[in-house]
Amino acid sequence: MTPAAPPPRVALFVTCLVDLIRPRIGFAAIRALEAAGCTVVVPAGQTCCGQPALNSGARAEATAIAKRTIALLEGHDAIVVPSGSCAATIRVQYPELFEHDPAWLARAEAVAARTYEIMAYLDEVRGWRPDTALDATATYHDSCSGLRELGIKAQPRRLLNHVAGLSLIPLKGAETCCGFGGTFCVKYPAISNAIATEKAAAIDTSGADLLLAGDLGCLMNMAGKLHRDGSAVRAFHAIEVIAGMGGGPAIGEET
Amino acid sequence: MSAAFSKRVDAALADPILKIAVERTAGTAEAKRAAAIDAFAQFEDARTRAAAIKDHVVAHLGFYLEQFEAAATAAGAHVHYARTADEACAIVIDICKAAGARTVARSKSMMGEEIGLPHALAEAGIVRVETDLAEHIIQLADERPSHIVWPAMHKTSAQVSALFKQHHALPHSEETIPAMAESARRHLREGMLGADVGISGANFLIADSGAVCTVTNEGNAELSLVPPRVHIVTAGIEKLVPSMGHAVQMLRLLARSATGATLTQYTTFYTGPKRAADPDGPDAMHIVLIDNGRSAMRDDGLAEMLRCIRCGACMNHCVVFRQIGGHAYGGTYPGPMGAVLTPALDGLAASRDLPNACTLNGKCQEVCPVKIPLPTLLRGWREKSWREGLEPATMRQGIAAWAWVAQRPRLYRLAVRAAIFAMRRFGRGWITALPLAGGWTAHRDLPAPDAESFMRRYARGER
Ligand code: SF4
């Protein structure tokens, strides 16, 4: 990036859960992206990336949603998503949906190639470092889609290590699924609960004040279990802490 | 969730001993595999090559089957083909009857389970001796295997000790592991040495030499296949590899992925029956090559599944398997590979829960030594289940309605507002009970939404 280059125009895709449950994550994303020198736009017609339909086997429905999402997102320098699984849906699953439709495949691939999970974008593409602070100990859960479909592991840790006062404690089984799995957690609640119970116990015994992760779905599952079990650990999306919003209400705390 | 699956899952989740037993074996396997892979610098290359070998064979199955048949026949073996499980059992039983067999010794084989051989032998009035230690335990307990590598992984040593005390006509001294092993050894050797027929599966079939490869850690295959007069091999057609060199490449991955060992204790290649100059060995060798849905899998977009070398790594690393164990899956094969195979073998209508009861976390694919894209194949089954209308009506209608709204941004915004309004009536901060979300709130609290959605606040100019 030469100094003369204009700031990249980044489309923020907030995800349906952020929009509905926790808007703070969207605002944190904007703050971090602007601090990293981006011009942020939030395409107005966005809804959901279609992941629930896709993972339920509703291919026709998922394809229809993917088409309108692609049309909405193309034409930006980058598309940034504060969720590893939604970013992976656009990056990895969309092109697979159009393997027999060359015209749409080209458009899907063009969008996929410019779509990033937010922390991967800030760290790898922008080479940005936060200058925020938070006095706390935190542990980090590696959400599955981001980890395995997009290779997100070191990027959030690199960014979090630049948050002054924050110390990261390792989490036993950090790469083990928390049992959320989108619709899995409501279709098979007993199995999901058994998995979440072990995850919550590992988080609780880590000794951290905060649980951080990059996906609101997983965070809701883990935080919901921790709260039900009476744990004092508070949960945030990692981008909230990175953007300097880790002092506010945690997930499930009244705003 | 089907009632049968739900019942099996509930029973498994309510069994604390099962949980301990599964966790102990799978946890140990996970740790040992990790150490073995760390020490195997060529792992990635080996995986890529192994996947390519299997893909090549699956794409040219006809050629390798003919080559194998010719070589095995030249070595003196009889080669049979079975299209279905029933055909395969009938062939095996006919061979046993022609040999006048009263007792058969079996060396562990998942193919035997897949075709229902234990049942077929019982029906034919033939006594079956399971010679693999874990299979022996399973036979004493009158159960089915719960894992493809450790069939008795769901049992604790105390449970095994109780079984031995009940069934072994030996002094009751089986409290320690060595004592139990000794007890099993004495009991099993009688069966191995007295059997008329030995039946095994195959880990690999070597096309250019007609050899059959088995791997064990107990040496039970050798002891149960060499002394009897007849050796019968039951094997899936996808077990073929072109040559010994290819088999060795697969073997490097198999043991490491399964148990973390570099190789199994015993790796044996059998080529034909006893020859004139051989001091021992069976008089006749029969090899039954079984399709049982495999050709159809290849043609139905499941070709990658035919790479599977049955190492069990996918189930050892699966969060769902580790909670519910193998029996809950209800088929011959459990875990992620079972969730792909069972619908192909038993029909999707009876098993649609299996591909659905998965978080798609991708760990299975990460550890699979032949890089089978298990999550993609599971998603494929979900799509088929959806197309064929097998998914529950509430789920279908819910997803369809939501997808319709998700394509209409104005309506979507309204729906989000309505959802926020509705949810906040059940709590601020944490919601502890929410109608229609009982699956969630039965076990976890749910964060209540903020008063306004992100899109609404952003549209108003908030930053
Ligand atoms: S699917 Fe892969 S990991 Fe699972 S048993 Fe087969 S080869 Fe092993």
Side-chain angles (χ1 to χ4, degrees):
Chain A
M1 181 104 7
T2 60
R9 268 174 52 87
V10 172
L12 179 68
F13 187 80
V14 289
T15 84
C16 56
L17 280 183
V18 168
D19 182 42
L20 172 68
I21 301 285
R22 195 161 169 85
R24 283 170 52 86
I25 296 170
F27 291 112
I30 294 174
R31 263 204 216 186
L33 286 166
E34 288 181 347
C38 306
T39 302
V40 182
V41 288
V42 180
Q46 60 177 279
T47 60
C48 163
C49 66
Q51 198 186 134
L54 190 69
N55 288 345
S56 300
R59 193 182 176 102
E61 287 82 352
T63 307
I65 295 172
K67 281 185 179 170
R68 67 168 304 279
T69 307
I70 289 165
L72 189 77
L73 296 178
E74 57 197 353
H76 298 92
D77 296 331
I79 299 118
V80 171
V81 191
S83 154
S85 70
C86 307
T89 296
I90 300 173
R91 265 188 89 112
V92 183
Q93 307 299 333
Y94 276 14
E96 285 180 12
L97 281 174
F98 299 108
E99 56 183 345
H100 302 300
D101 184 345
W104 273 101
L105 179 62
R107 294 175 71 180
E109 282 178 338
V111 166
R114 292 174 189 202
T115 299
Y116 301 89
E117 187 277 334
I118 185 160
M119 294 182 286
Y121 181 75
L122 291 169
D123 174 70
E124 285 177 315
V125 181
R126 300 298 297 165
W128 173 77
R129 295 290 174 257
D131 59 359
T132 50
L134 183 70
D135 237 342
T137 56
T139 197
Y140 192 87
H141 163 81
D142 296 283
S143 292
C144 304
S145 299
L147 176 69
R148 301 204 177 85
E149 291 183 86
L150 303 178
I152 292 163
K153 174 90 187 163
Q155 304 90 329
R157 289 174 173 82
R158 273 197 291 266
L159 294 172
L160 288 165
N161 277 330
H162 276 262
V163 175
L166 185 75
S167 57
L168 279 179
I169 300 179
L171 173 62
K172 190 164 173 279
E175 294 188 7
T176 303
C177 175
C178 73
F180 174 63
T183 50
F184 168 83
C185 66
V186 289
K187 286 199 277 188
Y188 300 95
I191 307 174
S192 176
N193 175 50
I195 300 169
T197 302
E198 280 177 27
K199 178 57 83 174
I203 295 164
D204 210 38
T205 51
S206 75
D209 312 325
L210 307 182
L211 167 69
L212 306 179
D215 242 295
L216 183 55
C218 318
L219 279 162
M220 285 167 60
N221 183 45
M222 293 182 289
K225 190 68 200 170
L226 286 163
H227 190 257
R228 177 66 57 95
D229 291 352
S231 164
V233 177
R234 303 163 71 228
F236 288 90
H237 192 295
I239 199 66
E240 295 180 74
V241 170
I242 290 165
M245 290 168 64
I251 290 172
E253 288 174 3
E254 206 173 336
T255 51
Chain B
M1 198 174 355
S2 78
F5 183 68
S6 165
K7 212 172 137 194
R8 292 195 302 267
V9 166
D10 288 347
L13 291 176
D15 182 350
I17 293 181
L18 173 75
K19 173 74 194 154
I20 292 166
V22 170
E23 193 54 40
R24 189 153 50 200
T25 310
T28 307
E30 182 181 15
K32 287 192 172 168
R33 175 200 171 272
I37 300 304
D38 272 350
F40 185 26
Q42 311 89 330
F43 180 57
E44 264 320 302
D45 285 350
R47 288 175 87 191
T48 308
R49 227 174 305 133
I53 292 169
K54 284 299 234 186
D55 283 353
H56 170 82
V57 169
V58 168
H60 301 94
L61 258 182
F63 172 83
Y64 287 108
L65 280 168
E66 277 176 34
Q67 195 189 16
F68 177 81
E69 182 187 348
T73 308
H78 303 277
V79 176
H80 311 258
Y81 290 93
R83 271 170 307 166
T84 64
D86 288 347
E87 266 182 43
C89 284
I91 293 169
V92 173
I93 299 298
D94 282 350
I95 298 167
C96 289
K97 284 189 173 155
R102 278 164 310 170
T103 316
V104 303
R106 265 188 82 209
S107 172
K108 172 176 155 336
S109 124
M110 290 312 295
M111 178 48 96
E113 302 298 326
E114 180 185 319
I115 60 175
L117 193 54
H119 179 73
L121 288 166
E123 277 207 329
I126 298 169
V127 176
R128 165 176 64 103
V129 180
E130 291 293 346
T131 66
D132 174 90
L133 178 57
E135 286 285 351
H136 173 60
I137 293 165
I138 293 299
Q139 186 176 22
L140 294 184
D142 196 19
E143 290 179 8
R144 295 184 71 190
S146 68
H147 189 285
I148 62 172
V149 175
W150 299 280
M153 71 122 56
H154 58 289
K155 293 217 173 298
T156 60
S157 57
Q159 291 172 327
V160 174
S161 171
L163 277 170
F164 280 11
K165 282 182 178 168
Q166 193 187 336
H167 293 281
H168 287 181
L170 293 163
H172 288 181
S173 59
E174 308 94 357
E175 292 300 345
T176 64
I177 304 280
M180 281 195 265
E182 184 53 35
S183 169
R185 191 173 286 128
R186 284 205 258 162
H187 187 92
L188 288 175
R189 287 223 165 138
E190 273 175 39
M192 291 171 176
L193 299 174
D196 305 302
V197 172
I199 304 182
S200 72
N203 290 93
F204 303 101
L205 302 169
I206 322 292
D208 66 356
S209 62
V212 173
C213 172
T214 65
V215 301
T216 72
N217 279 318
E218 299 160 25
N220 62 302
E222 292 72 12
L223 259 185
S224 48
L225 303 178
V226 175
R229 288 178 281 119
V230 178
H231 175 190
I232 305 175
V233 180
T234 56
I237 51 177
E238 85 286 8
K239 294 277 167 176
L240 281 161
V241 290
S243 72
M244 183 76 90
H246 295 100
V248 171
Q249 298 199 36
M250 310 305 294
L251 283 166
R252 298 173 83 196
L253 290 166
L254 177 56
R256 284 180 171 91
S257 302
T259 63
T262 314
L263 261 189
T264 36
Q265 299 289 341
Y266 298 88
T267 302
T268 306
F269 296 85
Y270 308 81
T271 315
K274 178 182 175 179
R275 273 157 296 236
D278 290 346
D280 48 28
D283 299 329
M285 183 187 195
H286 293 268
I287 303 166
V288 189
L289 299 173
I290 302 166
D291 187 313
N292 201 27
R294 284 160 176 72
S295 302
M297 283 171 64
R298 186 181 62 169
D299 303 335
D300 288 349
L302 291 170
E304 288 147 319
M305 196 59 224
L306 297 174
R307 291 179 194 158
C308 178
I309 57 172
R310 310 286 193 258
C311 71
C314 54
M315 55 199 74
N316 297 339
H317 290 79
C318 170
V319 279
V320 172
F321 179 90
R322 276 167 81 151
Q323 294 300 337
I324 66 178
H327 285 154
Y329 288 80
T332 302
Y333 304 99
M337 56 83 85
V340 176
L341 282 172
T342 304
L345 296 171
D346 300 351
L348 182 59
S351 59
R352 57 152 286 274
D353 274 305
L354 303 186
N356 274 295
C358 161
T359 67
L360 296 179
N361 67 72
K363 184 74 188 177
C364 49
Q365 179 174 0
E366 183 186 294
V367 298
C368 177
V370 285
K371 298 195 190 176
I372 300 175
L374 293 154
T376 306
L377 300 181
L378 291 169
R379 220 186 249 116
W381 278 126
R382 294 184 187 188
E383 285 176 12
K384 187 152 200 267
S385 181
W386 188 274
R387 276 200 311 275
E388 295 183 353
L390 301 174
E391 296 302 300
T394 46
M395 180 59 69
R396 294 178 61 80
Q397 288 155 5
I399 292 280
W402 160 88
W404 193 79
V405 174
Q407 292 169 65
R408 289 159 181 81
R410 285 228 189 100
L411 258 184
Y412 183 87
R413 300 270 95 81
L414 275 176
V416 169
R417 277 185 77 176
I420 290 171
F421 178 77
M423 285 172 76
R424 283 172 66 87
R425 291 186 54 199
F426 291 90
R428 304 282 161 91
W430 289 106
I431 299 171
T432 51
L434 186 67
L436 302 177
W440 184 285
T441 53
H443 306 289
R444 294 153 282 216
D445 295 332
L446 183 69
D450 281 3
E452 278 185 311
S453 73
F454 173 86
M455 293 304 280
R456 204 166 137 87
R457 285 164 64 176
Y458 183 83
R460 271 214 322 265
E462 194 175 329
R463 294 295 178 268

